[in-house]
Amino acid sequence: MNAVVSRPRANVNAARLERRIADLAAVTDPQFPWSRTAFSPLHREGRVWLAREMASLGLSTAIDAGANLIGRLRGQRPELAPMATGSHSDTVPSGGRFDGAAGILVALEALHAMRDAGIELNHTLEIIDFLAEEPNQYGLSCIGSRAMVGALTAADLQRTAPDGTTLSEGMASMGGDPDGLDMPLRTQGDLSVFVELHIEQGRVLESGGLDIGVVTDIVGIRRLEVRMMGRADHSGATPMIMRADALAGAAEIIVGFERRAEAEKLAPLVATVGKLNVIPNAANVVPGQVDFTLEVRAATEAAIIGYLADVTGEMQSIAERRGLKLAAEMAGTNLPVKMSLMVQSAIAGAAEALGLRHQAMPSGAGHDAAFVARLCPVGMIFVPSKDGRSHCPEEYTSPSQLAAGAQVLLTTLLHLDTTLTRDAQLRNAQ
Ligand code: HGY
Ligand code: MN
Ligand code: MN
């Protein structure tokens, strides 16, 4: 079989893609659009719809032990390791319609356009909906992609949600098989390449008048779960001097986090406390306990570790001065990951051939691709986010921007199918 075949032109259909985005977005908590949080009945409902759409395009569908939904379209050369694309269908609470969903639905559209044009790939193609890419009630992100590469530990599986269920039970509720996770589900060579399209979730593309981002690396992320323990007291009868106010202490510490992040010169670093719980959270009780999560992101582990060393020292001295007790635990680490140069050049070549304005850029957001990179060469395609907004209902990417991204993904997959087939033939000929 000659790897370099002249193929008919395949054109994505922007209206069809827009319809699928709207159909999946409609699976949301109506009170808090757009919410389809991981492990929820809505998440499961969205996956039933996705599996049906995959089947309608001739893909076989299955849920692997890591509760990843995988659609497969057999290639003409099934002996070649499959190519893969996809993203995640879970959202943050009151998130957007595009974060994750765009990557899966654009992949479906690219496949639909190939089918319309009568194009068959040499490689089997997998479209993957990774389980729980977003941080969730088990306090861990990228759960399905961690499971796939063997990065989910036995301790992780015993993490419990506020409702008392373990992550193992949560994964089983999504069709996974936690007992089958003592080994990686996939190892090097099981996939030939993974390309993920995602919204940028920042302002670089829009402010630069660009159509496509070619991702060079994915930021490292560490999350620290902190518990401040003071003493609950009557808010009226307790003099200020006699208080051990956990929330006032947390507030002083959190402002310190912000100051230290702004002062970081080594590498761009961001620090966020987006989740905070006050106990007992009553207007007339001095807060006795505060739980919060500090999230730190930077391009290098060194910058993250240096920042955390500084702020944990500062946290201790503030707690002592205020008579508070402090407990802190690292909750999951995503190492920074470089994208494959081969895949980056395939994406840039596709954008160039399509006359699209493109630029290489890092990702400040975490992605499943960061874990899949342990299996095979990976790359990411970014499309613009309006006003750089994401993780909120205002998140928006226009149908034409999504269609441009879909055409780039389609062109990239066709190019990789040809070049990787030729590489395999050359290896076999040796
Ligand atoms: O948090 C992130 O970076 C991604 O959106 N889950
Ligand atoms: Mn997200
Ligand atoms: Mn995402």
Side-chain angles (χ1 to χ4, degrees):
M1 153 64 69
N2 176 353
V4 187
V5 291
S6 61
R7 284 173 161 146
R9 169 125 176 127
N11 293 309
V12 301
N13 180 321
R16 183 167 63 193
L17 174 52
E18 190 183 7
R19 226 179 9 261
R20 285 200 171 108
I21 291 277
D23 288 349
L24 182 53
V27 182
T28 176
D29 177 341
Q31 231 83 45
F32 302 98
W34 311 81
S35 297
R36 200 174 42 251
T37 52
F39 303 99
S40 65
L42 286 165
H43 187 198
R44 279 193 290 277
E45 186 185 332
R47 286 185 141 194
V48 167
W49 178 84
L50 271 176
R52 221 178 20 241
E53 289 299 298
M54 290 175 173
S56 74
L57 288 176
L59 287 91
S60 64
T61 60
I63 302 260
D64 72 5
N68 299 302
L69 168 62
I70 302 177
R72 277 173 75 96
L73 188 69
R74 191 180 156 88
Q76 292 180 293
R77 302 278 306 266
E79 72 279 9
L80 297 170
M83 298 198 303
T85 180
S87 194
H88 60 95
S89 66
D90 59 306
T91 71
V92 296
S94 299
R97 291 165 287 169
F98 303 88
D99 175 1
I104 301 172
L105 298 180
V106 157
L108 273 178
E109 177 50 40
L111 200 66
H112 204 148
M114 280 187 227
R115 206 187 63 160
D116 290 349
I119 294 174
E120 287 186 87
L121 294 171
N122 296 321
H123 291 77
T124 290
L125 182 67
E126 291 190 352
I127 298 182
I128 305 173
D129 169 15
F130 288 102
L131 174 73
E133 187 274 347
E134 299 293 359
N136 47 70
Q137 69 266 38
Y138 298 106
L140 194 63
S141 64
C142 297
I143 291 176
S145 48
R146 289 175 200 261
M148 186 173 279
V149 304
L152 209 56
T153 65
D156 287 333
L157 288 170
Q158 291 315 310
R159 286 167 174 271
T160 50
D163 68 0
T165 60
T166 62
L167 174 54
S168 178
E169 289 160 339
M171 294 181 80
S173 76
M174 296 299 291
D177 171 19
D179 299 337
L181 296 179
D182 47 351
M183 302 284 288
L185 302 179
R186 298 265 173 100
T187 53
Q188 293 254 348
D190 286 346
L191 288 177
S192 56
V193 69
F194 175 72
V195 188
E196 177 173 2
L197 179 134
H198 205 285
I199 55 171
E200 177 201 342
Q201 299 178 297
R203 291 159 177 71
V204 170
L205 294 179
E206 182 176 72
S207 53
L210 299 159
D211 305 303
I212 296 292
V214 182
V215 178
T216 54
D217 37 340
I218 297 176
V219 73
I221 307 174
R222 276 184 183 252
R223 293 191 178 102
L224 189 71
E225 284 174 354
V226 181
R227 173 160 290 177
M228 303 283 299
M229 289 155 285
R231 195 183 57 248
D233 273 317
H234 192 291
S235 65
T238 311
M240 294 309 283
I241 188 77
M242 297 177 71
R243 295 179 176 208
D245 184 330
L247 182 54
E252 184 181 351
I253 284 170
I254 292 167
V255 170
F257 291 158
E258 185 183 49
R259 274 209 200 98
R260 172 64 183 75
E262 287 165 345
E264 176 62 42
K265 295 290 174 260
L266 183 65
L269 176 141
V270 287
T272 315
V273 174
K275 187 178 172 187
L276 182 140
N277 196 15
V278 184
I279 296 163
N281 202 28
N284 60 352
V285 179
V286 175
Q289 178 180 325
V290 167
D291 294 339
F292 63 80
T293 302
L294 166 62
E295 181 197 84
V296 191
R297 300 188 188 206
T300 66
E301 262 288 85
I304 296 173
I305 290 172
Y307 172 90
L308 283 171
D310 288 355
V311 297
T312 31
E314 182 62 12
M315 235 179 357
Q316 292 292 4
S317 55
I318 291 172
E320 271 152 38
R321 174 163 47 80
R322 286 173 167 268
L324 301 173
K325 282 209 189 56
L326 185 65
E329 189 186 278
M330 202 60 80
T333 298
N334 301 23
L335 294 174
V337 173
K338 295 239 167 277
M339 298 291 96
S340 147
L341 291 174
M342 177 271 286
V343 184
Q344 286 184 55
S345 76
I347 295 167
E352 199 67 30
L354 292 163
L356 295 167
R357 296 156 298 179
H358 58 95
Q359 172 181 307
M361 58 185 289
S363 170
H367 299 287
D368 291 304
F371 286 96
V372 182
R374 301 186 192 185
L375 297 180
C376 64
V378 305
M380 289 194 74
I381 301 165
F382 272 177
V383 291
S385 292
K386 187 169 180 321
D387 304 330
R389 301 293 304 279
S390 178
H391 282 186
C392 57
E394 295 78 10
E395 182 182 277
Y396 182 74
T397 299
S398 74
S400 61
Q401 289 171 327
L402 276 178
Q407 200 68 44
V408 170
L409 177 66
L410 167 56
T411 309
T412 302
L413 291 174
L414 291 177
H415 171 80
L416 290 170
D417 184 48
T418 301
T419 54
L420 294 174
T421 303
R422 188 196 51 218
D423 295 353
Q425 284 172 331
L426 290 174
R427 276 196 305 277
N428 295 340
Q430 280 160 357

